[in-house]
Amino acid sequence: MDHMIFEVGTALMLIALASVLAGKLKFSIIPFLIVLGMLVGPHAPTIGIFDFKFIESQSIIDFLGRIGVLFLLFYLGLEFSVQKLIKSGKNIVFGGTVYVVLNFALGVGYGFLFGLPLYETLIIAGMLSVSSSAIVAKVLVDLRRTGNSETELILGMILFDDIFLAVFLSVMSGLLLGGATSVGATIVSVSISIGYMLLFFLIARKGTPILNKLLNIASSEIFIIVVFASLFFIAGFSETLHVAEAIGALLFGLALSETEHSKKIEHLVVPFRDFFGAIFFFSFGLSIDPLALGDALWMALGAIALTIICNFVAGMIAGRNAGLSHKASANIGLTIMARGEFTIIVANLGIAGGLAPILKPFSALYVLVLAILGPLLTKESKHIYKVMNKVFKWSEPKIKVKEKANK
């Protein structure tokens, strides 16, 4: 206990170093932090006065990681808007539906193929169905593709995927955390979760004027105290209803998303989201035994291959339906490939519900590979398209088009 602050400080210094390294390499910090956590986990050696096992402080680090989840989902809720989705048009709804249905259906089939029970299979399917909003957005900015013809559809599909995540987590938290032992009790538990979610949707649509008045606080200090106190209270209260605390945070963000204070809250939340979010990925890695990864190796590699194929197909279908070129459609499929924070949150829900231990090493390998591979595939999308075009003959080379024009 005497060295707890030193242990936490050491952990934060390691997180900072990993973040700086990721920044220098212009890459997502997610895989760096997960690997770092695994390397300094329970099996790490002691070097002089530096004990990298974090035995005394692991509970504190885990708690800080849980705070990270709350801020990640709260921020997602703030950016969430059903009205924005409706205005975006039928192409986004169609593309998002194709993306979610294809990934989820194949995930269910994949889980049953490995002989997993129903709930484990549903968690696997959920993990395969949710992309990383943070990685996708960062890649689009870094590669300067925000003005591309396909970018609006990509962001719309990600938004649709976030809606699916909210519904999926609400339903699964009712199933796994509700303690139901019969069909009737299960229905009641799931109904409570869905009803709780609908209540916040109603507040977001009808209660905006009241929320605007309540949050009309001149002092920034008092404003942030009120917002964060409400966030933690609602997240904690959600657990008493057997709704995951992360869903409580997301729904509270949703309720505030339509208020006139939403942009101010977003601005205040970002530093906390980034800081505690980094601790979340580190703490996740800290809980993983690297020696146990081999147990999920082939299962994870199969899921990765399935995700790459499925996402590419979904992107092609969504893009071509929207009237985009084959090249732009290929960009969609390759950009939405990355997996990260939300996949881990889905996995953690299954772990909290007492499901099979293999979910943890599986999710670690799955996220690690796709968090690295996703941005690389996006960056090399032009070359990948050229190779695919040679196989499928989607469009003729530019030279041939000019020759035909001359004739």
Side-chain angles (χ1 to χ4, degrees):
M1 187 65 71
D2 294 338
H3 301 290
M4 185 173 292
I5 297 296
F6 181 65
E7 283 191 12
V8 173
T10 303
L12 293 177
M13 281 301 299
L14 290 172
I15 291 170
L17 290 172
S19 302
V20 170
L21 178 61
K24 292 287 185 183
L25 297 174
K26 296 182 179 180
F27 217 78
S28 168
I29 67 171
I30 293 174
F32 283 84
L33 294 174
I34 295 174
V35 170
L36 175 64
M38 289 192 293
L39 292 177
V40 299
H43 302 281
T46 300
I47 304 174
I49 63 170
F50 294 95
D51 185 358
F52 293 110
K53 294 179 182 177
F54 301 108
I55 295 172
E56 291 184 7
S57 61
Q58 185 161 355
S59 59
I60 300 296
I61 294 171
D62 289 343
F63 176 72
L64 294 176
R66 287 174 66 185
I67 294 176
V69 175
L70 297 187
F71 280 119
L72 282 168
L73 271 294
F74 179 56
Y75 187 83
L76 175 63
L78 287 170
E79 292 194 318
F80 180 94
S81 174
V82 178
Q83 292 180 347
K84 189 188 298 182
L85 182 67
I86 294 172
K87 288 179 182 178
S88 297
K90 60 182 181 180
N91 289 333
I92 286 175
V93 175
F94 176 84
T97 302
V98 168
Y99 173 74
V100 169
V101 170
L102 264 181
N103 279 284
F104 193 82
L106 287 174
V108 169
Y110 191 71
F112 283 132
L113 180 67
F114 275 84
L116 295 175
L118 177 61
Y119 286 168
E120 280 82 351
T121 296
L122 291 175
I123 289 294
I124 291 288
M127 289 166 61
L128 267 62
S129 302
V130 288
S131 184
S132 171
S133 302
I135 296 177
V136 170
K138 188 176 188 303
V139 167
L140 288 172
V141 172
D142 289 348
L143 296 179
R144 298 179 181 178
R145 295 188 181 180
T146 53
N148 283 16
S149 58
E150 71 275 6
T151 298
E152 183 180 350
L153 182 54
I154 290 171
L155 295 176
M157 289 172 67
I158 292 297
L159 176 62
F160 189 94
D161 194 31
D162 292 343
I163 296 172
F164 162 77
L165 174 68
V167 176
F168 177 79
L169 287 177
S170 295
V171 173
M172 289 307 298
S173 65
L175 289 172
L176 297 175
L177 307 179
T181 55
S182 64
V183 176
T186 299
I187 293 173
V188 171
S189 184
V190 172
S191 298
I192 290 173
S193 297
I194 295 176
Y196 190 62
M197 184 177 69
L198 292 176
L199 174 63
F200 278 89
F201 271 94
L202 184 63
I203 293 172
R205 294 299 301 272
K206 303 295 184 182
T208 302
I210 297 174
L211 291 173
N212 283 333
K213 289 181 180 179
L214 291 174
L215 292 174
N216 190 21
I217 302 170
S219 170
S220 295
E221 179 185 7
I222 298 174
F223 181 83
I224 197 171
I225 290 173
V226 169
V227 171
F228 284 9
S230 303
L231 167 62
F232 282 88
F233 176 79
I234 290 172
F237 177 73
S238 300
E239 281 195 305
T240 65
L241 298 178
H242 304 295
V243 176
E245 60 186 23
I247 284 298
L250 184 146
L251 294 175
F252 182 52
L254 171 67
L256 300 181
S257 65
E258 300 296 335
T259 67
E260 60 190 25
H261 305 283
S262 61
K263 294 301 178 185
K264 180 180 179 181
I265 298 171
E266 280 186 32
H267 179 71
L268 292 171
V269 167
V270 167
F272 294 90
R273 179 203 65 183
D274 293 342
F275 177 74
F276 288 103
I279 299 175
F280 162 64
F281 294 116
F282 175 75
S283 67
F284 178 73
L286 205 64
S287 66
I288 297 168
D289 179 2
L291 300 177
L293 293 178
D295 298 336
L297 178 62
W298 295 110
M299 183 178 174
L301 290 178
I304 290 163
L306 193 68
T307 299
I308 291 172
I309 295 170
C310 183
N311 279 250
F312 188 82
V313 171
M316 292 299 296
I317 294 173
R320 294 301 293 159
N321 176 74
L324 297 174
S325 67
H326 286 95
K327 184 179 180 181
S329 301
N331 284 346
I332 295 172
L334 294 169
T335 303
I336 59 178
M337 202 78 69
R339 296 295 186 267
E341 64 280 10
F342 301 134
T343 298
I344 294 174
I345 288 169
V346 172
N348 281 348
L349 178 61
I351 294 164
L355 301 186
I358 198 172
L359 289 176
K360 182 160 284 189
F362 170 81
S363 60
L365 282 171
Y366 180 70
V367 169
L368 269 176
V369 175
L370 287 177
I372 296 171
L373 203 57
L376 288 176
L377 290 173
T378 307
K379 185 178 180 180
E380 301 300 327
S381 59
K382 182 189 294 185
H383 302 294
I384 295 171
Y385 171 75
K386 286 181 179 178
V387 173
M388 298 296 289
N389 191 38
K390 288 179 180 179
V391 177
F392 294 101
K393 310 293 183 184
W394 287 318
S395 59
E396 294 182 348
K398 291 183 179 179
I399 297 175
K400 292 184 178 181
V401 173
K402 288 180 179 178
E403 287 177 355
K404 286 183 179 181
N406 292 331
K407 291 179 181 179

